[in-house]
Amino acid sequence: MGSLPSDIISPLDPDNFLYESSQVLQFIADYYRDVEKFPVQSQVQPGYLRSLSPKAAPLFPEQLEAILADVQSNILPGLTHWQSPNFFAYFQANASTAAFLGEMLCTGLNVVGFNWITSPAATELENIVVDWVGKMLNLPQTFLFSGTGGGVLYGSTCEALVCTLAAARDMALKEMGANGITELVVYSSDQTHFSLQKAAKLVGILPNNIRMIPTSRSTSFALEPSKVRSAMEKDSARGLAPLFLCATIGTTSSGAVDPLKELGQVAQDFNVWLHVDAAYAGSACICPEFRQYLDGVELADSLSINPHKWLLTNMDCCCLWLQNPTTLIDSLGASPEYLKNKASESNHVVDYKDWQIALSRRFRALKLWVLIRRYGVANLRDHVRSDVKLAKLFEAFVRADKRFEVAVPRRFALVCFRLVNGGESEKEEEKEDGDEKGSRLSRKLLEMVNSSGRAYMSHAVVGGKFLIRCAIGGTLTEERHVVGLWELIQEKAALLLENAFIPKKINIVS
């Protein structure tokens, strides 16, 4: 039963705020302390929560202690624990104390900085922070506010793709006329994240005009410039208009890297917008040894990375840089009378409402600013390097076991592997080739590992083969968790394959 109406407190009483927020902080701290104990992948069945919940909202206020108790008993079992050190699926969603503190400040101040005048510090700090990260990546000055470009913080690269596609579309239609939209064509590889297809549809590109160009094992599944050029030549000959090319640094399926210099030249030859989706691996390029993967970025129109994936920045945070922000503003900008003001009309300030889909926006820059200041670039580099070191360790385990293969080259902290050998009967061997067998065995192995609750990985199908993806990079993940994952994989492989040999001890690769 809820509390009596007399217990109602002020919605924003400072003393109560301090008391109750301290309870939530304690709850979260305990969660992180115990997160390793939970099954990584939620074990609940669909609809479980409705049966545990009241049929209607409470009429009177309830005590926070009761609410947190329900979070513990009802909500946590329904979570797949992305912050578990045994989470190796998809890509990591990094979290850190510093980013959490920045998020607290963002939420607590609760400003809505859609234009400069609504909170000058929110806009100007965002200008500063995106330049900081751009300099960490050694981007050309043409992408920075301190040069001739600029950047913006979004929630995800999906938003960045919609906005840059809209800008490219509107630039083209100024010359072609509105009816020309049926002629516009978008290009990427078959490894590009599906969000590009979704974004293209949202801005009006016909589904038949989205080209997902096949990749091959011979190029480690990178997009081949010659194939892109050929596709654009064919489309141009048919009267279509090449519009937008998306290159990826660290594809979701396999971590592939597209060659920016060569693709940039193709884009220039056909006057198409080149966007670089570096959502995952772009963060690694703050380390000098990985910066090579951005060589050629000077030929791109835009670039996006997700600090919430690998730079310890709690969800959500995406950086987008443009060489010519005016193209974005021309497409997304609007100036209703009630938003007009002297600062905006002076053209000396940035109004971020004109850089995004929505009007309202959060003070994300505060989170990224606190993070960078609290840890420093050197520690952020060490964080990336430590994850890569763990990935090399796991890769060595896979290579040392003849039953497994590393399916695609590892460049960052993603290891894609397959179970390919083991005691199947000769009759079954005759029924399917090696690739089919490896895919079937790998699929079974992944199901066994994930259903155990002790670890969680995901999969991809690349070049027609089913691959298990081990994405290392959780904030709490240590060497012992990677070793434990490999022991679990060997344990389940032994159940799956007859006569499998499992060494009792693992020789740690230093």
Side-chain angles (χ1 to χ4, degrees):
M1 179 179 293
S3 303
L4 295 175
S6 59
D7 291 337
I8 293 178
I9 58 173
S10 167
L12 199 55
D13 175 75
D15 293 332
N16 190 64
F17 174 84
L18 184 60
Y19 170 70
E20 294 203 344
S21 63
S22 67
Q23 290 181 278
V24 174
L25 286 174
Q26 185 64 59
F27 183 92
I28 296 171
D30 290 342
Y31 170 74
Y32 281 129
R33 192 176 291 112
D34 297 335
V35 67
E36 191 172 348
K37 301 175 183 178
F38 294 102
V40 187
Q41 184 181 23
S42 177
Q43 308 292 301
V44 302
Q45 297 299 313
Y48 89 100
L49 190 56
R50 183 170 293 277
S51 64
L52 299 174
S53 302
K55 296 187 182 301
L59 181 60
F60 299 125
E62 299 182 8
Q63 295 299 317
L64 179 61
E65 291 83 358
I67 296 170
L68 291 178
D70 282 347
V71 174
Q72 183 72 42
S73 61
N74 298 347
I75 302 300
L76 293 189
L79 299 182
T80 290
H81 298 280
W82 285 69
Q83 302 313 313
S84 169
N86 296 307
F87 182 95
F88 302 99
Y90 312 111
F91 285 124
Q92 62 271 19
N94 270 181
S96 67
T97 301
F100 182 80
L101 297 177
E103 187 70 36
M104 287 174 65
L105 288 168
C106 170
T107 302
L109 297 176
N110 203 35
V111 302
V112 186
F114 48 78
N115 61 13
W116 181 87
I117 201 170
T118 57
S119 280
T123 295
E124 296 192 13
L125 189 64
E126 189 160 335
N127 297 169
I128 292 166
V129 167
V130 293
D131 267 15
W132 278 8
V133 181
K135 290 176 181 177
M136 289 161 60
L137 295 169
N138 195 24
L139 294 184
Q141 283 291 115
T142 50
F143 280 102
L144 308 179
F145 282 111
S146 56
T148 55
V152 58
L153 296 180
Y154 290 147
S156 71
T157 287
C158 301
E159 188 177 353
L161 285 168
V162 171
C163 293
T164 52
L165 269 164
R169 174 202 63 193
D170 291 347
M171 285 177 61
L173 295 182
K174 281 183 181 179
E175 297 182 7
M176 302 171 63
N179 292 334
I181 195 167
T182 60
E183 302 170 10
L184 301 179
V185 186
V186 171
Y187 304 83
S188 70
S189 85
D190 58 3
Q191 302 300 307
T192 302
H193 197 274
F194 80 94
S195 57
L196 176 68
Q197 300 175 60
K198 184 174 183 178
K201 292 178 181 179
L202 285 172
V203 302
I205 306 299
L206 298 180
N208 290 338
N209 286 359
I210 302 173
R211 307 280 181 262
M212 311 299 290
I213 297 173
T215 56
S216 66
R217 186 170 299 275
S218 64
T219 61
S220 300
F221 301 101
L223 182 56
E224 296 178 61
S226 61
K227 290 184 177 180
V228 177
R229 184 178 295 277
S230 176
M232 290 184 180
E233 288 174 346
K234 290 179 180 177
D235 284 330
S236 297
R238 295 168 52 203
L240 298 176
L243 173 72
F244 190 96
L245 170 61
C246 183
T248 306
I249 307 299
T251 60
T252 298
S253 294
S254 62
V257 174
D258 295 334
L260 298 189
K261 282 186 177 179
E262 294 82 357
L263 291 172
Q265 187 58 60
V266 175
Q268 288 192 340
D269 290 346
F270 286 86
N271 193 30
V272 305
W273 184 297
L274 174 60
H275 176 73
V276 179
D277 175 0
Y280 162 57
S283 296
C285 296
I286 68 171
C287 302
E289 63 268 31
F290 294 115
R291 176 56 177 78
Q292 59 180 307
Y293 294 117
L294 286 181
D295 288 352
V297 71
E298 65 275 6
L299 301 177
D301 295 278
S302 54
L303 162 73
S304 60
I305 74 165
N306 286 0
H308 66 233
K309 279 192 168 71
W310 211 358
L311 283 186
L312 297 173
T313 309
N314 299 35
M315 284 283 289
D316 54 12
C317 186
C318 166
C319 297
L320 171 71
W321 294 270
L322 303 104
Q323 294 218 45
N324 184 7
T326 301
T327 58
L328 195 69
I329 296 168
D330 288 346
S331 180
L332 304 177
S335 297
E337 179 62 36
Y338 53 83
L339 294 181
K340 291 181 179 179
N341 61 85
K342 290 182 179 179
S344 297
E345 292 171 359
S346 73
N347 293 321
H348 292 149
V349 299
V350 171
D351 284 344
Y352 273 124
K353 68 178 177 61
D354 298 328
W355 294 55
Q356 62 179 30
I357 298 169
L359 174 63
S360 300
R361 63 195 328 269
R362 303 179 70 243
F363 195 176
R364 290 189 184 95
L366 196 57
K367 174 171 56 179
L368 195 52
W369 181 68
V370 171
L371 171 86
I372 295 172
R373 292 190 62 187
R374 188 70 184 87
Y375 292 144
V377 178
N379 281 322
L380 291 173
R381 287 172 176 163
D382 286 346
H383 168 69
V384 170
R385 288 167 176 152
S386 67
D387 291 338
V388 173
K389 182 179 179 181
L390 291 178
K392 289 179 178 178
L393 173 67
F394 184 82
E395 180 185 31
F397 290 159
V398 175
R399 291 191 184 281
D401 192 321
K402 294 181 180 179
R403 297 169 299 174
F404 294 86
E405 69 173 8
V406 176
V408 295
R410 181 207 54 76
R411 289 185 176 83
F412 306 104
L414 172 66
V415 181
C416 297
F417 67 102
R418 308 174 72 230
L419 177 60
V420 294
N421 190 21
E424 295 289 310
S425 68
E426 291 184 3
K427 290 183 179 180
E428 285 208 49
E429 291 275 8
E430 293 172 358
K431 293 179 182 178
E432 56 187 346
D433 62 26
D435 285 347
E436 291 175 343
K437 176 185 173 184
S439 294
R440 179 171 55 80
L441 292 175
S442 297
R443 189 183 295 273
K444 289 181 179 179
L445 176 62
L446 180 62
E447 291 172 355
M448 294 171 73
V449 169
N450 289 348
S451 64
S452 75
R454 292 157 56 188
Y456 184 38
M457 297 182 291
S458 54
H459 76 278
V461 176
V462 180
K465 297 181 179 180
F466 182 96
L467 313 179
I468 301 174
R469 299 172 67 262
C470 176
I472 295 173
T475 309
L476 299 175
T477 301
E478 301 173 0
E479 184 176 291
R480 64 184 176 89
H481 300 108
V482 174
V483 172
L485 172 65
W486 182 243
E487 291 175 339
L488 174 62
I489 290 169
Q490 289 195 309
E491 173 191 319
K492 298 305 180 183
L495 295 175
L496 186 59
L497 303 175
E498 295 176 2
N499 305 317
F501 171 73
I502 305 177
K504 294 183 180 179
K505 294 184 179 180
I506 295 177
N507 294 322
I508 303 300
V509 179
S510 61

